[in-house]
Amino acid sequence: MNVTFYGAAGEVTGSMHLLDTGTDRILFDCGMFQGRRKESKEKNKTFPINRSKITNMILSHAHIDHSGRIPMLTGDGFAGRVITTRPTKDALNYMLLDSGHIQESDAQYLNYKSLRSFLRQLEQNNVKQKVSNRERNTIKKMLKKNAYELNHDAIHKLQKEHKLNIITPLYTMSEARQSLGFIDGYPFHYPITIGKDTTVKFYVAGHILGSAFSIVTIKRNNKTTRILYTGDVGRFGKPILKDPTLIFDEEDRDIDLFITESTYGDREHEPVEDLGASLKKVLNATFERGGSVIIPSFAFGRTQELIYILHELYDKAEVPRRPIYVDSPLASNITKVFGEHPETYDKETHEVFLEKGKNPFHFDKIKFVQTVEESMQLTKDTSSHVVISASGMCEAGRILHHLRYKIHNAKNTILLVGYMAENTLGRRIQDLGLKSIEAGNNGEAPEIKILGKTYPLRAKVEKIGGFSAHGDKHELEKIITGSNLRIKKIGIVHGEEAQSAAFAKRLQQKGYDTFIPKPGDKISL
């Protein structure tokens, strides 16, 4: 019996680990790598495991860095089931389709940019072979159907005619839709058979709606082996959701291998109670300058938490009641899923909103933007407002266009409310923006490349760490030392090298046996 670590080993994204019981092969998560476009594309398109040999898959939660390659798993030989919680299954109905849409849209936009650049180069070089000026103008008009819609058929045809490289999506919406038929949702605290004498039971992880600690129990020859996979660990005392589990059922307490994330293995978050005050400070300062607040945010979890806290601030009249736009169709749909699962809410949410007949996620100043036309009009709106848009690490989606239009204006604020992985656009904005502030904003503005074009970063960059859905080093440790679990060995994954190493050392000092696997490493049980 062994576990092999394939993704989020020595890094943060692309979670994927394989349990081989000798009879069955159980996959923990099937996440997408996020980071440098070329590097991520190479990692994502290569599936490291023979899919037809996988018995079943366990999914910890619906974030794309844990679920995003499910359509690749189910599309080639996989005959098993994807086992997860009911809220996660409901969220995946939107998350995976949105991911497929992003894959298609990004590929189409990059193909458009490549073709347009090629045509401009022809003009600059005054090359008239095969393509006349009139033909060039005709071709340009063919690239778009209107101001907001590309002519994909014409672009594809011209790329083939001129033998240009055609970028293809990792998977399509159709393939994502097909994968949904493989997913089953189950309640927490309920043992589910996933292989021969092998079960999984879910416990609340508190990271996002439906996120779960997965305890796999294997019984062989009168011997029982248990593996606990945390997925991502949530915070304690955050609004909306119940805290991570500390008290596990008696029969599940003895853990042979505990596989834990370590995103913030050497960091401390701001106290949860300071989140509203921190957000209030940023909003008031920006509105006083006449600017807008642009918040890159994960559509699932972070957006709903922001809406919740903004709702409280607006109800208490602690900030000017400027319009709030949630510019992400996915976030709108996920907010509906939140509304369908009040059984996951904590006591405070019931007392503050539900018992007073209020919906935590809807109030008069909030608008959910749906169409591309509405989104493009919003990017050009110069009045003060708040925009919450995906993706959270600024790697794709509508947030890129809001940044294009707002990043050069010193009145505006780019508010970062979550973890930015290395080599993402969000991390670059964070590093350059905060460095510029530390230097007193003297000298030329740093430059940021967005969708192939360079912009000066003049907007103020702020970061509120307390919004993170990941537990910090104390909260990660609390699951281990503050729960009723008895743990033999700990595998530390899902963290940058320094974070994982610091967390491993911290646990070793407390007497725990730890190891940090690299991609491809295997541990026997």
Side-chain angles (χ1 to χ4, degrees), residues 392-449:
M393 295 187 192
C394 307
E395 282 298 283
R398 295 182 181 182
I399 188 62
L400 296 177
H401 299 283
H402 290 288
L403 291 171
R404 283 199 305 134
Y405 280 88
K406 299 290 196 299
I407 199 168
H408 64 278
N409 190 333
K411 291 182 178 180
N412 298 325
T413 298
I414 300 170
L415 177 58
L416 306 179
V417 294
Y419 179 77
M420 299 294 168
E422 287 184 330
N423 306 316
T424 60
L425 176 60
R427 173 64 76 88
R428 183 164 172 78
I429 290 172
Q430 173 182 302
D431 291 347
L432 291 178
L434 297 182
K435 184 178 179 181
S436 177
I437 291 172
E438 290 173 4
N441 293 308
N442 295 322
E444 294 185 7
E447 293 186 335
I448 298 288
K449 183 174 282 190

XYZ file of all heavy atoms in Angstrom, residues 392-449:
449
model
N -9.237 35.100 -8.974
C -8.633 35.610 -7.761
C -7.154 35.912 -7.864
O -6.642 36.785 -7.170
N -6.427 35.187 -8.732
C -4.997 35.426 -8.915
C -4.708 36.233 -10.178
O -3.574 36.334 -10.623
C -4.232 34.101 -8.942
C -4.285 33.336 -7.633
S -3.198 31.890 -7.643
C -3.775 31.044 -6.164
N -5.783 36.787 -10.777
C -5.661 37.664 -11.962
C -5.085 36.932 -13.172
O -4.447 37.543 -14.033
C -4.807 38.891 -11.659
S -5.308 39.826 -10.217
N -5.334 35.643 -13.249
C -4.781 34.872 -14.365
C -5.725 34.780 -15.554
O -5.303 34.439 -16.656
C -4.423 33.452 -13.890
C -3.136 33.385 -13.117
C -1.940 33.806 -13.956
O -1.488 33.022 -14.790
O -1.462 34.939 -13.772
N -6.978 35.064 -15.356
C -7.959 34.960 -16.445
C -9.217 35.699 -16.022
O -9.318 36.220 -14.917
C -8.263 33.485 -16.738
N -10.194 35.739 -16.939
C -11.494 36.289 -16.600
C -11.602 37.799 -16.734
O -10.691 38.485 -17.201
N -12.747 38.315 -16.268
C -13.075 39.730 -16.468
C -12.209 40.679 -15.651
O -12.090 41.849 -15.990
C -14.556 39.951 -16.148
C -15.494 39.226 -17.104
C -16.951 39.513 -16.780
N -17.839 38.800 -17.693
C -19.169 38.890 -17.659
N -19.757 39.656 -16.742
N -19.904 38.217 -18.520
N -11.596 40.182 -14.573
C -10.752 41.064 -13.757
C -9.642 41.684 -14.586
O -9.214 42.820 -14.336
C -10.157 40.294 -12.549
C -9.444 41.249 -11.589
C -9.217 39.190 -13.011
C -10.322 42.294 -10.965
N -9.159 40.969 -15.594
C -8.070 41.482 -16.425
C -8.471 42.777 -17.121
O -7.665 43.702 -17.262
C -7.659 40.434 -17.463
C -7.068 39.138 -16.905
C -6.763 38.165 -18.035
C -5.819 39.415 -16.090
N -9.707 42.881 -17.544
C -10.160 44.079 -18.248
C -10.385 45.243 -17.278
O -10.107 46.396 -17.619
C -11.423 43.749 -19.041
C -11.194 42.690 -20.068
N -10.552 42.946 -21.263
C -11.472 41.364 -20.065
C -10.465 41.822 -21.960
N -11.015 40.847 -21.249
N -10.846 44.945 -16.069
C -10.968 46.014 -15.064
C -9.587 46.551 -14.697
O -9.407 47.760 -14.531
C -11.692 45.496 -13.822
C -13.144 45.236 -14.060
N -14.064 46.257 -14.216
C -13.838 44.077 -14.204
C -15.260 45.730 -14.425
N -15.143 44.407 -14.424
N -8.615 45.674 -14.599
C -7.257 46.116 -14.303
C -6.700 46.965 -15.444
O -6.047 47.986 -15.213
C -6.352 44.904 -14.049
C -6.624 44.128 -12.757
C -5.814 42.833 -12.730
C -6.318 44.971 -11.534
N -6.962 46.564 -16.673
C -6.464 47.325 -17.832
C -6.929 48.778 -17.786
O -6.187 49.690 -18.126
C -6.956 46.690 -19.138
C -6.232 45.453 -19.570
C -6.453 45.161 -21.042
N -7.853 45.074 -21.418
C -8.386 45.655 -22.492
N -7.653 46.388 -23.293
N -9.658 45.493 -22.771
N -8.169 48.971 -17.389
C -8.757 50.311 -17.411
C -8.510 51.107 -16.128
O -8.658 52.328 -16.123
C -10.269 50.221 -17.660
C -10.622 50.028 -19.114
C -10.702 48.753 -19.659
C -10.858 51.117 -19.956
C -11.020 48.558 -20.998
C -11.176 50.938 -21.289
C -11.257 49.652 -21.808
O -11.573 49.480 -23.139
N -8.133 50.427 -15.043
C -8.046 51.122 -13.758
C -6.639 51.175 -13.161
O -6.373 51.972 -12.269
C -8.981 50.440 -12.738
C -10.472 50.448 -13.114
C -11.058 51.841 -13.017
C -12.576 51.855 -12.999
N -13.204 51.303 -14.187
N -5.724 50.349 -13.635
C -4.436 50.185 -12.975
C -3.540 51.411 -13.090
O -2.663 51.647 -12.265
C -3.709 48.932 -13.539
C -2.622 48.465 -12.574
C -3.140 49.201 -14.936
C -2.065 47.095 -12.923
N -3.768 52.251 -14.092
C -2.898 53.407 -14.334
C -3.335 54.660 -13.569
O -2.642 55.675 -13.598
C -2.880 53.730 -15.827
C -4.231 54.150 -16.345
N -5.198 53.229 -16.678
C -4.777 55.369 -16.554
C -6.276 53.874 -17.080
N -6.052 55.163 -17.012
N -4.484 54.607 -12.873
C -5.038 55.784 -12.200
C -4.748 55.735 -10.703
O -5.184 54.822 -10.002
C -6.552 55.856 -12.444
C -7.157 57.170 -11.997
O -6.650 57.836 -11.104
N -8.263 57.554 -12.622
N -4.035 56.746 -10.205
C -3.615 56.781 -8.797
C -4.783 56.932 -7.825
O -4.629 56.694 -6.622
C -2.618 57.918 -8.583
N -5.959 57.333 -8.314
C -7.124 57.446 -7.432
C -7.655 56.072 -7.018
O -8.279 55.935 -5.968
C -8.251 58.216 -8.144
C -7.978 59.689 -8.375
C -9.185 60.338 -9.034
C -8.976 61.831 -9.250
N -10.155 62.461 -9.892
N -7.412 55.083 -7.849
C -8.002 53.763 -7.628
C -7.161 52.914 -6.679
O -5.973 53.173 -6.464
C -8.161 53.033 -8.963
C -9.099 53.763 -9.904
O -10.074 54.378 -9.471
N -8.807 53.707 -11.197
N -7.797 51.896 -6.148
C -7.111 50.927 -5.290
C -7.332 49.522 -5.824
O -8.467 49.149 -6.147
C -7.641 50.986 -3.841
O -7.373 52.281 -3.291
C -6.974 49.937 -2.969
N -6.254 48.764 -5.923
C -6.357 47.332 -6.206
C -6.205 46.638 -4.859
O -5.148 46.712 -4.228
C -5.272 46.866 -7.189
C -5.406 47.615 -8.515
C -5.372 45.357 -7.416
C -4.255 47.394 -9.461
N -7.263 46.023 -4.407
C -7.288 45.399 -3.085
C -7.126 43.888 -3.234
O -7.971 43.212 -3.819
C -8.592 45.721 -2.364
C -8.785 45.071 -0.988
C -7.660 45.461 -0.035
C -10.143 45.445 -0.405
N -6.035 43.368 -2.697
C -5.749 41.939 -2.761
C -6.214 41.290 -1.458
O -5.803 41.712 -0.379
C -4.251 41.716 -2.967
C -3.641 42.456 -4.173
C -2.146 42.189 -4.259
C -4.334 42.051 -5.471
N -7.058 40.295 -1.579
C -7.686 39.710 -0.389
C -7.422 38.215 -0.269
O -8.127 37.518 0.455
C -9.206 39.982 -0.380
C -9.498 41.452 -0.223
C -9.865 39.432 -1.655
N -6.413 37.733 -0.993
C -6.138 36.310 -0.914
C -4.732 35.983 -1.344
O -3.955 36.856 -1.734
N -4.416 34.717 -1.293
C -3.085 34.246 -1.646
C -2.840 34.386 -3.136
O -3.697 34.062 -3.960
C -2.933 32.782 -1.233
C -1.583 32.207 -1.586
C -0.466 32.503 -0.813
C -1.430 31.414 -2.714
C 0.775 31.998 -1.144
C -0.193 30.898 -3.048
C 0.908 31.195 -2.258
O 2.137 30.706 -2.607
N -1.662 34.886 -3.498
C -1.241 35.013 -4.887
C -0.057 34.075 -5.120
O 1.033 34.314 -4.591
C -0.848 36.461 -5.207
C -1.966 37.465 -5.023
S -3.312 37.196 -6.194
C -4.576 38.261 -5.494
N -0.275 33.023 -5.884
C 0.786 32.039 -6.117
C 1.929 32.655 -6.915
O 1.742 33.625 -7.662
C 0.224 30.824 -6.857
N 3.104 32.077 -6.773
C 4.258 32.544 -7.527
C 3.975 32.484 -9.025
O 3.290 31.588 -9.518
C 5.479 31.680 -7.202
C 6.064 31.928 -5.826
C 7.315 31.122 -5.583
O 7.430 30.015 -6.153
O 8.196 31.590 -4.842
N 4.516 33.466 -9.745
C 4.441 33.530 -11.209
C 3.047 33.848 -11.745
O 2.798 33.701 -12.937
C 4.947 32.223 -11.852
C 6.340 31.855 -11.382
O 7.211 32.714 -11.305
N 6.545 30.601 -11.045
N 2.122 34.282 -10.876
C 0.824 34.738 -11.359
C 0.850 36.260 -11.499
O 1.686 36.945 -10.902
C -0.305 34.343 -10.393
O -0.067 34.945 -9.113
C -0.385 32.834 -10.238
N -0.078 36.785 -12.287
C -0.178 38.239 -12.436
C -0.502 38.883 -11.089
O 0.012 39.956 -10.766
C -1.262 38.591 -13.470
C -1.552 40.082 -13.655
C -0.306 40.834 -14.124
C -2.703 40.274 -14.645
N -1.339 38.230 -10.298
C -1.673 38.765 -8.989
C -0.453 38.926 -8.106
O -0.307 39.929 -7.396
N 0.463 37.945 -8.130
C 1.681 38.042 -7.333
C 2.557 39.190 -7.828
O 3.174 39.902 -7.035
C 2.452 36.717 -7.382
C 3.835 36.766 -6.709
C 3.761 37.038 -5.215
N 3.344 35.883 -4.470
C 4.174 34.942 -4.004
N 5.469 35.045 -4.204
N 3.689 33.920 -3.321
N 2.614 39.398 -9.138
C 3.433 40.486 -9.682
C 2.872 41.851 -9.264
O 3.607 42.753 -8.879
C 3.501 40.379 -11.209
C 4.403 41.432 -11.849
C 4.757 41.079 -13.289
N 5.461 42.157 -13.949
C 6.746 42.438 -13.778
N 7.461 41.717 -12.938
N 7.314 43.433 -14.430
N 1.552 41.989 -9.331
C 0.927 43.241 -8.876
C 1.199 43.440 -7.393
O 1.523 44.544 -6.940
C -0.591 43.213 -9.157
C -0.845 43.293 -10.675
C -1.297 44.359 -8.437
C -2.294 43.089 -11.053
N 1.081 42.377 -6.615
C 1.321 42.458 -5.177
C 2.752 42.888 -4.893
O 2.998 43.830 -4.132
C 1.054 41.093 -4.541
C 1.432 41.008 -3.064
C 1.183 39.617 -2.510
O 0.071 39.121 -2.567
N 2.214 38.973 -1.991
N 3.725 42.207 -5.499
C 5.126 42.486 -5.204
C 5.538 43.880 -5.665
O 6.169 44.643 -4.921
C 6.015 41.434 -5.863
C 5.856 40.064 -5.222
O 5.263 39.996 -4.127
O 6.316 39.070 -5.810
N 5.166 44.242 -6.897
C 5.555 45.548 -7.420
C 4.787 46.677 -6.740
O 5.343 47.736 -6.455
C 5.340 45.605 -8.937
C 6.279 44.731 -9.778
C 5.922 44.854 -11.255
C 7.737 45.111 -9.559
N 3.508 46.442 -6.477
C 2.680 47.481 -5.863
C 3.092 47.789 -4.443
O 3.251 48.952 -4.066
N 3.291 46.748 -3.636
C 3.677 46.958 -2.245
C 5.101 47.500 -2.149
O 5.413 48.318 -1.287
C 3.544 45.654 -1.463
C 2.125 45.074 -1.365
C 2.121 43.808 -0.517
C 1.152 46.095 -0.793
N 5.976 47.068 -3.058
C 7.344 47.588 -3.085
C 7.347 49.066 -3.425
O 8.097 49.864 -2.851
C 8.173 46.812 -4.111
C 9.640 47.209 -4.163
C 10.395 46.347 -5.163
C 11.866 46.751 -5.231
N 12.606 45.921 -6.221
N 6.478 49.472 -4.356
C 6.374 50.875 -4.746
C 5.901 51.734 -3.581
O 6.384 52.844 -3.363
C 5.417 51.028 -5.935
O 5.251 52.381 -6.289
N 4.960 51.202 -2.797
C 4.453 51.930 -1.627
C 5.560 52.089 -0.589
O 5.738 53.154 0.002
C 3.238 51.199 -1.035
C 2.042 51.309 -1.995
C 2.866 51.775 0.327
C 0.861 50.465 -1.597
N 6.327 51.011 -0.365
C 7.414 51.072 0.612
C 8.462 52.109 0.214
O 9.091 52.745 1.063
C 8.065 49.692 0.734
C 7.182 48.659 1.424
C 7.790 47.267 1.387
O 8.924 47.136 0.882
O 7.130 46.321 1.840
N 8.645 52.294 -1.112
C 9.629 53.255 -1.603
C 9.072 54.677 -1.640
O 9.738 55.596 -2.092
C 10.104 52.845 -2.993
N 7.851 54.821 -1.174
C 7.242 56.141 -1.153
C 6.681 56.588 -2.487
O 6.451 57.769 -2.723
N 6.455 55.620 -3.406
C 5.898 55.914 -4.736
C 6.755 56.912 -5.521
O 6.261 57.646 -6.377
C 4.461 56.445 -4.629
C 3.504 55.384 -4.118
O 3.463 54.281 -4.647
N 2.762 55.714 -3.078
N 8.050 56.969 -5.204
C 8.931 57.873 -5.940
C 9.411 57.211 -7.227
O 9.500 55.996 -7.333
C 10.143 58.240 -5.077
C 9.730 59.043 -3.845
O 8.840 59.873 -3.925
N 10.377 58.782 -2.716
N 9.747 58.042 -8.204
C 10.254 57.522 -9.464
C 9.147 57.058 -10.384
O 7.960 57.300 -10.152
N 9.529 56.366 -11.458
C 8.566 55.906 -12.445
C 7.739 54.743 -11.892
O 8.223 53.935 -11.101
C 9.308 55.462 -13.712
C 10.004 56.595 -14.444
C 10.608 56.131 -15.748
O 10.364 54.966 -16.123
O 11.312 56.931 -16.379
N 6.505 54.701 -12.346
C 5.618 53.618 -11.915
C 6.108 52.295 -12.498
O 6.546 52.245 -13.648
C 4.195 53.909 -12.376
N 6.059 51.215 -11.711
C 6.411 49.904 -12.277
C 5.426 49.531 -13.369
O 4.302 50.030 -13.407
C 6.310 48.968 -11.075
C 5.433 49.668 -10.096
C 5.652 51.134 -10.305
N 5.857 48.666 -14.270
C 5.009 48.292 -15.405
C 4.486 46.875 -15.240
O 5.190 45.980 -14.762
C 5.792 48.429 -16.709
C 6.151 49.876 -17.047
C 6.797 50.007 -18.418
O 7.393 49.012 -18.888
O 6.703 51.096 -19.018
N 3.237 46.713 -15.648
C 2.557 45.421 -15.563
C 2.031 45.059 -16.946
O 1.383 45.877 -17.604
C 1.374 45.474 -14.567
C 1.869 45.783 -13.147
C 0.583 44.178 -14.599
C 2.605 44.660 -12.474
N 2.285 43.838 -17.379
C 1.771 43.382 -18.676
C 0.465 42.632 -18.462
O 0.390 41.671 -17.689
C 2.776 42.487 -19.390
C 2.319 42.034 -20.772
C 3.395 41.260 -21.509
C 4.445 42.184 -22.091
N 5.373 41.469 -22.999
